Amino acid sequence: MPTSSNDTKRLSELAASKTGQSGDHTFPSLTANHYLSADIFQSELARIWRTQWVYVGRSDELKSPGDFKVLRIADREVLLVLDASHQVGAFYNACSHRGSTLCEASFGQLKSGRIVCPYHQWSYNLSGELIATPRINLGDQTAQLGLDRISLTQWAGNLYLNFDEGSNLSVLDGMIPSAETLNNWPLATLTVGHRVQFEVKCNWKIFWENYLECYHCPAIHPELCRIVPLYQGGMATDYLKSGFKGEDRVAIGIESWTETGQTIAPTFEGLSAEEVEAGHTFLEIYPNQYIVAHPDYVRQVSILPTAPGRTLVTAEWLFDPKVLQKPSFDPAPAIEFCERLLHQDAKVSELNQRGLTAKPHHHGLLIDLESDVWDFHEHYRAWMSDPNEDNRTT
Ligand SMILES: [Fe+2]
């Protein structure tokens, strides 16, 4: 249910430009191997997940110096730590000595103000500098044995990391349509009121593909189709097809994506009349996050690949902190509506993956209602054709 830069482009025109044939309304998708192959998955890690900016959490998850968070991005494990100057640092969660895991828990507080390896007790300060090595003085070597830092940046209260320390990409480069799309929402000041995380048995690209088309919406999301008329036509954008005219906005009388269709919190100040009337505004941040901004709350969903057929999904509901603090505030109507959507999508994504293993030689096709999926595949092909792959495989 996105808004892409190509949302008004006829797929037939697109297909004609790709195939040289006019009048086509279908064209090839990726092969099943792209969703099943361990070799292709490894190439994706090298060419996409270790070169692009990846969402890893909200900056306010770490509140006091020494607060830490550990997360795994495929075959790598990352330690986020808040240092004494209230700056978040990202490091590989491995000791410089013999590589032991440093922090075992997913979240915690380093009460000693140090990162202490549980194996031989090497200690690092919160900035990752090696400060103690029991029973040995490493002299000048000590300064070289700090933790390996990973590039980290913030946008709108979100943290993104990039394993490619020489990257000249900006997190803004992955945004579609652009960061300005959400300029009128106070994203940086919002607080997560609810978070869910679960694994879906599908390739990470299948999760994106499902998000990027609404051809499935009439059958899979009847509740959503009742509040967004365009989706009843199987369309994800205001692409016009066969005389069907629709706008990508909620129905008259509907205000937001909630169980009742009504807002559950005051409308954010600063939104335009169009943004309020639309009821939803989308931003994709490739390769691992999309944001849906409503008049009263914001929802962001991120994914991390764990295996060719496994994807970790995290969904966060963001609210004005003043609203969250009110005892009478009930976010349930927004949470329940969108959790149902997520699980509906997860179920069909798993069906898609399972079918590909049943028929592994399958070569799918896209129809004109799935033009945003084609756009995603164009991004994918560009990432995977990166000529610098050989430098990024380690
Ligand atoms: Fe869906």
Side-chain angles (χ1 to χ4, degrees), residues 153-160 171-172 175 179 182 187 283 285 291:
T153 193
Q154 284 198 37
W155 175 80
N158 285 343
L159 297 171
Y160 300 84
V171 67
L172 304 181
M175 295 185 180
L182 300 184
L187 282 178
L283 177 69
I285 309 178
I291 301 177

Side-chain angles (χ1 to χ4, degrees), residues 1 210-211 213-214 216-217 220-221 224 341 344-345 348:
M1 290 139 289
N210 174 75
Y211 165 77
E213 52 89 359
C214 219
H216 69 276
C217 289
I220 307 303
H221 303 305
L224 178 60
L341 281 180
Q344 290 166 338
D345 283 326
V348 289

